[in-house]
Amino acid sequence: MVRARILIRWTVATLAVLCALISAHGLAADTLDTPDRFAYVIGNSAYETFQGEKIDNSPFNLVTPVNDARRYAEAMEDLGWEVLNDARFERSAEAIRRELEIALNKITPGSEVVFIFNGHGFSIDDANFIVGIPASDASYASVEEMVSGSINIDYVVERLNSRNPSRIVLLINACGDQPLLSSVGTAPAKVTFPNVSAEVLVMYSSSPRGVAYDFINSQEKATKPQEENLTSVFTRSFLKEIEKEQPLLSAFTSARIETERLSLRAAAFRGLPARTSRQIPHVVHDTINGRFSLFDVTATSLEASQRADWRLAPTSCRLNEANLNEALKLRDSSELATSDREAMQSCILQAGLQDLGIDKITFDGVRGGVVFTSVSADSKFKRLDLVRSVSMLRADGSRTTVDFETLDQFQEILFENARKPGTTIVLTRIGAPETGGGSSFVTHKY
């Protein structure tokens, strides 16, 4: 078995979709706002030291985490992300908690956050942990010591979520075949975040009970020492992909293919069977918009959306008035193909949501209504506001009030009435409990 080379990458990040802070009639706006984007990067490799120096050939120490962390920080900055922490290498669990609390003060509501940890990790039952550097020169001698020197990933997600970001992505480059201490479980365990309102994506560089390689062979390690930026097999595959203008999940899939290919060489060098020793990157939790990209799309999203065909990219109707007008003309048509009708409905719905200053909606079965999980800065709504009913006042004087029980009902109402001249939409807004609750009416007239 290969000693664990666990480079835990946390990327709390989010999709820069075609959502702009535009007024109700601002479809021809020439600017595009994107969320604030933050990264937090850690690299831990010296898990056993003597008089402050990393012990060579220690089975507890790792080769590439510091280099990986350095490269990730550089890449994120190049892509337009603000890296929040200056102290990035050889951090204890106590230091990570303390420094993360300081960094939280910089995170803004609705932002995207990337947390990247490189080092050892382990799991107990359904809990996944990242391992801090021991406080003393001695390595961890027991499970109890290691647990006390580690951080549950749930803690990191919950602390980041306390700042109300829109998306959290965890990129975890971790060996799952053998933990730091053999008496604890193997990573990654299944993860759930029931109390987290942000979109969350958790990716591992290895499948459960799989291996993650620091380097391919001894020749590579000898010719590319640490000071020359030797990086892990997954990192070198993944970094090439995230710098391309493509969705993060697409980048991850491409990196998976390259990682598997390189891991076969690493396994052959170590005399391991190819069938059971491939490194296979693996998604363990995903509630994120599939178009999310780490690439800085600020300068290109508007232009791309204006070129996009609404049949292929319905969200372009937020920014492309020609697309929207074409879709509106087809609203009452009975001759559209099913796929075109669905795209047309989505196009008009997106424009209707934009008119109200809403970026994303979900249905809350407990509170009983539609919840606005992402809103524009100039919206009359606040994040997590809830709506249970809506009234439509039409140009001919008729009035309809609907209490809805599903998200589909709300979307259908908005599709049918959005952008119809003379129509006034009145929504009953109920504030989130954490913002004081209270109800009011929000009116929008076309």
Side-chain angles (χ1 to χ4, degrees):
M1 301 292 284
V2 176
R3 175 61 61 181
R5 303 289 189 239
I6 305 181
L7 311 168
I8 300 186
R9 316 266 177 258
W10 283 32
T11 316
V12 180
T14 7
L15 167 69
V17 293
L18 303 176
C19 298
L21 307 181
I22 311 174
S23 66
H25 302 287
L27 292 177
D30 59 0
T31 60
L32 179 72
D33 277 341
T34 56
D36 293 333
R37 317 187 95 184
F38 303 101
Y40 194 97
V41 183
I42 297 292
N44 280 352
S45 61
Y47 285 92
E48 186 174 24
T49 60
F50 179 72
Q51 295 182 350
E53 295 295 324
K54 183 178 177 182
I55 298 176
D56 291 337
N57 300 318
S58 165
F60 299 108
N61 288 335
L62 302 173
V63 176
T64 62
V66 168
N67 283 342
D68 285 355
R70 184 180 297 113
R71 291 289 304 280
Y72 276 110
E74 292 171 353
M76 297 305 287
E77 288 177 338
D78 288 344
L79 294 173
W81 296 70
E82 178 184 351
V83 180
L84 296 174
N85 59 317
D86 295 322
R88 300 169 188 169
F89 312 129
E90 315 299 11
R91 313 310 295 161
S92 68
E94 179 183 358
I96 293 173
R97 289 191 186 93
R98 182 179 63 250
E99 292 157 7
L100 181 61
E101 290 302 314
I102 296 173
L104 289 178
N105 294 325
K106 300 179 182 179
I107 296 175
T108 55
S111 60
E112 304 173 342
V113 189
V114 176
F115 185 100
I116 305 175
F117 177 90
N118 311 296
H120 276 303
F122 66 94
S123 64
I124 298 178
D125 297 326
D126 285 339
N128 292 291
F129 295 83
I130 57 175
V131 185
I133 295 298
S136 64
D137 282 344
S139 60
Y140 291 118
S142 67
V143 173
E144 290 74 21
E145 282 188 11
M146 188 172 65
V147 171
S148 66
S150 302
I151 298 175
N152 191 321
I153 67 171
D154 288 4
Y155 168 84
V156 179
V157 176
E158 289 170 2
R159 293 307 300 138
L160 293 173
N161 187 66
S162 70
R163 301 299 297 169
N164 293 318
S166 59
R167 298 172 183 91
I168 300 174
V169 179
L170 287 67
L171 176 60
I172 304 174
N173 184 7
C175 185
D177 76 319
Q178 185 177 354
L180 186 60
L181 296 176
S182 59
S183 56
V184 300
T186 55
K190 181 180 179 181
V191 292
T192 58
F193 306 103
N195 299 317
V196 174
S197 58
E199 296 176 2
V200 179
L201 174 67
V202 181
M203 300 177 291
Y204 269 78
S205 71
S206 177
S207 57
R209 299 187 180 276
V211 62
Y213 296 100
D214 269 11
F215 52 91
I216 294 176
N217 53 42
S218 57
Q219 179 181 4
E220 178 184 77
K221 183 180 177 182
T223 57
K224 294 182 179 180
Q226 186 145 336
E227 59 269 24
E228 293 184 11
N229 288 328
L230 175 65
T231 56
S232 68
V233 168
F234 174 76
T235 296
R236 71 185 74 175
S237 301
F238 189 63
L239 281 176
K240 291 188 298 184
E241 298 299 330
I242 66 172
E243 294 175 355
K244 301 176 183 178
E245 189 172 354
Q246 62 177 325
L248 179 59
L249 287 171
S250 298
F252 187 76
T253 299
S254 298
R256 167 178 171 154
I257 295 171
E258 177 67 4
T259 298
E260 284 191 65
R261 186 184 71 80
L262 294 177
S263 72
L264 291 175
R265 292 173 51 196
F269 168 74
R270 293 163 174 80
L272 300 172
R275 185 178 65 84
T276 58
S277 302
R278 287 181 301 154
Q279 182 176 346
I280 306 174
H282 179 65
V283 173
V284 299
H285 184 86
D286 179 10
T287 60
I288 202 167
N289 188 312
R291 293 167 296 179
F292 164 69
S293 173
L294 297 180
F295 197 89
D296 184 358
V297 297
T298 304
T300 61
S301 291
L302 180 63
E303 180 184 355
S305 69
Q306 291 175 333
R307 293 197 310 265
D309 186 332
W310 61 268
R311 293 172 179 82
L312 302 176
T315 50
S316 70
C317 292
R318 286 177 172 265
L319 301 172
N320 189 324
E321 191 169 6
N323 271 357
L324 176 60
N325 288 336
E326 183 180 354
L328 289 171
K329 290 178 181 178
L330 296 171
R331 176 157 43 189
D332 298 324
S333 173
S334 60
E335 299 178 358
L336 285 179
T338 300
S339 59
D340 283 348
R341 174 164 294 279
E342 292 175 351
M344 176 266 292
Q345 291 174 335
S346 181
C347 169
I348 297 172
L349 174 63
Q350 288 295 327
L353 289 173
Q354 177 209 303
D355 294 338
L356 299 173
I358 301 167
D359 294 333
K360 183 178 177 182
I361 56 178
T362 59
F363 193 84
D364 188 332
V366 176
R367 296 175 65 195
V370 172
V371 175
F372 304 143
T373 56
S374 179
V375 298
S376 299
D378 56 354
S379 175
K380 297 178 182 178
F381 296 96
K382 295 181 180 178
R383 185 173 180 271
L384 302 184
D385 278 354
L386 177 138
V387 172
R388 294 189 180 129
S389 66
V390 58
S391 297
M392 285 72 65
L393 312 178
R394 300 185 179 87
D396 60 6
S398 63
R399 177 189 181 111
T400 303
T401 299
V402 178
D403 297 323
F404 40 84
E405 299 178 353
T406 67
L407 188 63
D408 287 343
Q409 287 178 312
F410 176 77
Q411 292 176 327
E412 182 68 21
I413 291 167
L414 195 58
F415 161 69
E416 291 289 348
N417 295 277
R419 296 298 174 109
K420 285 191 173 180
T423 298
T424 299
I425 296 177
V426 182
L427 299 100
T428 304
R429 182 194 70 85
I430 303 173
E434 53 265 43
T435 60
S439 62
S440 61
F441 295 104
V442 176
T443 301
H444 183 81
K445 183 175 181 179
Y446 290 110

